[in-house]
Amino acid sequence: MSETMQGRRGRKRPILAILRQEASTPGRAGKLLRDKGFELDIRRPVCGDPLPDTLDGHAGVISFGGPMSANDSEAHIRREIEWLSVPLAENRPYLGICLGAQMLAKNLGCKVTAAEGDVTEIGWYPLKPTAEGQRIMPKWPDMVYHFHMEGFELPKGAILLAEGDAYRNQAFRYGEKAWGIQYHPELTLAMQRRWAVKGAHRFHLPNAQQGDQHLQGRVLHDKALRAWFNGFLNRVFTEA
């Protein structure tokens, strides 16, 4: 655990941040949440970090993406999917990003699968908010950044907030406090550069964009994505 839960008296409870690899960081999400007065209690289940039995000591959970699949058989993946019943049962704010959203869908009995023809979303793609999405968040970005080869079914009882072309289900809310998004608003420029280098072997996959499109798209679309993400974090963690 790289950051402690200890804080000054009167400060907000920390947000539990679930990361996927030893060197992973919360990126832009971490900075924005700290700017809002939250500390982060960072856990990496892949490295053996346990997840808490209760979230009484936390303001909520943010679960990030990673190179693994929600369908993998590794014990830490199975345990985390089952553990998601804790924030759901305790009605705590939960935000799943990409893999984090797919794990939430799996916990709720849904399938996580590739689109027909193994189409991917790797790069910048259009986002279309639904009427309910616009009611909850009036200003959505037109384009968002993706890096995935699977998507999730919409859980029964969930509200679809935004749609895409290759993968229809892009953002949803389940109940009042559980949220999932398929795309990546948390990337800093440095993170996106690393992804474009380390993920270049995937650029030949169906529908994937090439590396220069990843960085050019950031220049065009990231300002709107960042502004939306800042407001969305307020909606998830400070207005719950």
Side-chain angles (χ1 to χ4, degrees), residues 1-70:
M1 197 184 311
S2 64
E3 297 188 42
T4 70
M5 293 172 55
Q6 301 299 321
R8 300 189 185 99
R9 181 177 299 177
R11 293 196 69 173
K12 296 178 180 179
R13 289 177 296 171
I15 289 175
L16 180 67
I18 303 176
L19 296 177
R20 303 298 165 195
Q21 300 180 89
E22 185 175 0
S24 298
T25 76
R28 170 184 288 163
K31 181 182 185 306
L32 292 175
L33 288 170
R34 291 184 183 103
D35 288 347
K36 300 177 194 304
F38 293 104
E39 293 183 359
L40 299 184
D41 174 14
I42 293 179
R43 312 276 182 113
R44 294 177 172 86
V46 70
C47 298
D49 291 343
L51 297 174
D53 294 333
T54 178
L55 289 167
D56 285 346
H58 295 84
V61 183
I62 182 167
S63 178
F64 291 87
M68 57 284 289
S69 168

Side-chain angles (χ1 to χ4, degrees), residues 155-218:
K156 184 177 180 180
I159 298 172
L160 185 64
L161 303 178
E163 300 175 313
D165 295 328
Y167 288 83
R168 177 173 181 252
N169 300 325
Q170 291 290 326
F172 70 93
R173 184 181 72 180
Y174 181 81
E176 289 300 316
K177 296 186 179 181
W179 309 76
I181 58 175
Q182 183 60 78
Y183 44 94
H184 289 279
E186 81 281 12
L187 296 193
T188 63
L189 176 58
M191 290 169 69
Q192 191 163 22
R193 283 173 172 163
R194 286 198 301 272
W195 287 27
V197 171
K198 293 184 177 181
H201 63 287
R202 302 188 188 277
F203 294 167
H204 72 282
L205 297 173
N207 199 45
Q209 296 174 4
Q210 299 305 301
D212 57 344
Q213 295 174 283
H214 293 225
L215 299 177
Q216 290 169 7
R218 186 179 183 91

